Amino acid sequence: MKVGVLGSGDVAKSLASGFIKHGHQVALGTHEPAKLKDFVAQHPAAQALSLAEAAKFGELIVLAVKGTGALDAVNAAGTANLAGKPVIDATNPIANAPPANGVLKFFSTLDESLMERLQRAIPGAHFVKAFNSVGNAMMVNPQFAGGKPTMFICGNDDKAKATVRGVLDQFGWETADMGKAEAARAIEPLCMLWCIPGFIRNEWTHAFKLLHRD
Ligand SMILES: NC(=O)c1ccc[n+]([C@@H]2O[C@H](COP(=O)([O-])OP(=O)(O)OC[C@H]3O[C@@H](n4cnc5c(N)ncnc54)[C@H](OP(=O)(O)O)[C@@H]3O)[C@@H](O)[C@H]2O)c1
């Protein structure tokens, strides 16, 4: 697949590396492509472009920008360049305020997730929440003694979710489909939970797993 990764930070680079590892073509999109000079030098299969160019390039889009800039980023990517495409939304609505006893502050509410705002802003794109509830170092084929970890996903378009499930299969995850876009109200705060052991005990090497009784 041709994958347009919107972002230039750790998540964008980790997921871009994963797509390259699995044989996909990758373009990263940023306001400042020069930032990615070293990454592109180390990954000749990747190119660094503007947000609009990367979105146009991708058949599959990954949104991996700071939560407070996510709306700006999808608008800069362009409605036409995102239309009809699956968009993996790895963002979290983390506010510009310090955590309280290790608990991050969000700018969204329990009645409106960031992904729902993005979906409303670009109705023609097919947003699928994924990869927001684990650290970037474990996004691609992580190894855990307890077996495959679970990635919780949601979104309104079943075909887009099937595409994301395929990516998660390649990247070594079990997928737990939690339904439509509103489920992002529950999936985004998993990021708060995931970060607490990090902030209070400097533990950053865990992932969630959903267990089912026989
Ligand atoms: N770090 C993790 O392990 C982790 C794990 C799961 C989910 N997440 C989520 O994934 C997202 C990316 O995280 P990150 O740690 O890789 O990087 P980050 O520092 O949160 O974000 C860096 C990216 O955000 C973009 N950005 C910042 N302000 C912007 C604005 N006003 N308008 C448009 N774009 C803006 C930057 O774009 P330019 O390149 O154009 O400057 C850059 O690509 C975040 O939403 C984060 O909560 C992070």
Side-chain angles (χ1 to χ4, degrees):
M1 268 186 299
K2 287 182 163 180
V3 185
V5 179
L6 309 182
S8 61
D10 290 341
V11 174
K13 289 185 210 166
S14 294
L15 290 176
S17 303
F19 282 107
I20 292 165
K21 169 183 161 181
H22 289 291
H24 302 284
Q25 295 174 59
V26 172
L28 293 104
T30 161
H31 293 103
E32 213 183 314
K35 271 189 200 171
L36 291 164
K37 197 161 76 65
D38 291 348
F39 183 85
V40 171
Q42 287 156 14
H43 301 83
Q47 48 183 327
L49 304 172
S50 71
L51 289 160
E53 288 165 338
K56 189 170 183 183
F57 171 90
E59 305 159 272
L60 167 64
I61 308 298
V62 177
L63 181 62
V65 298
K66 201 171 172 213
T68 49
L71 262 178
D72 284 352
V74 292
N75 283 323
T79 304
N81 294 329
L82 298 174
K85 298 181 182 177
V87 181
I88 294 179
D89 173 21
T91 65
N92 282 310
I94 299 172
N96 289 323
N101 284 329
V103 181
L104 285 166
K105 301 239 167 95
F106 270 21
F107 60 78
S108 57
T109 71
L110 287 176
D111 293 322
E112 190 199 35
S113 62
L114 175 57
M115 193 181 83
E116 290 169 89
R117 284 192 203 174
L118 298 171
Q119 185 62 78
R120 257 195 298 281
I122 316 275
H126 304 308
F127 286 89
V128 180
K129 198 90 215 171
F131 290 110
N132 70 300
S133 60
V134 72
N136 70 85
M138 283 159 293
M139 288 180 173
V140 183
N141 303 108
Q143 297 298 315
F144 292 102
K148 275 191 188 185
T150 305
M151 187 61 70
F152 296 90
I153 72 165
C154 68
N156 291 339
D157 188 86
D158 287 339
K159 198 163 156 235
K161 284 196 285 192
T163 301
V164 176
R165 187 183 282 270
V167 171
L168 286 163
D169 287 347
Q170 275 195 328
F171 284 27
W173 288 83
E174 274 175 6
T175 299
D177 182 351
M178 294 289 118
K180 302 289 185 192
E182 289 79 3
R185 299 173 196 178
I187 297 176
E188 289 173 359
L190 291 177
C191 148
M192 300 166 85
L193 187 63
W194 188 87
C195 286
I196 290 172
F199 288 128
I200 66 174
R201 290 192 294 273
N202 201 26
E203 291 171 16
W204 301 97
T205 53
H206 46 282
F208 296 120
K209 184 164 180 71
L210 189 63
L211 300 176
H212 299 270
R213 209 177 65 172
D214 288 342

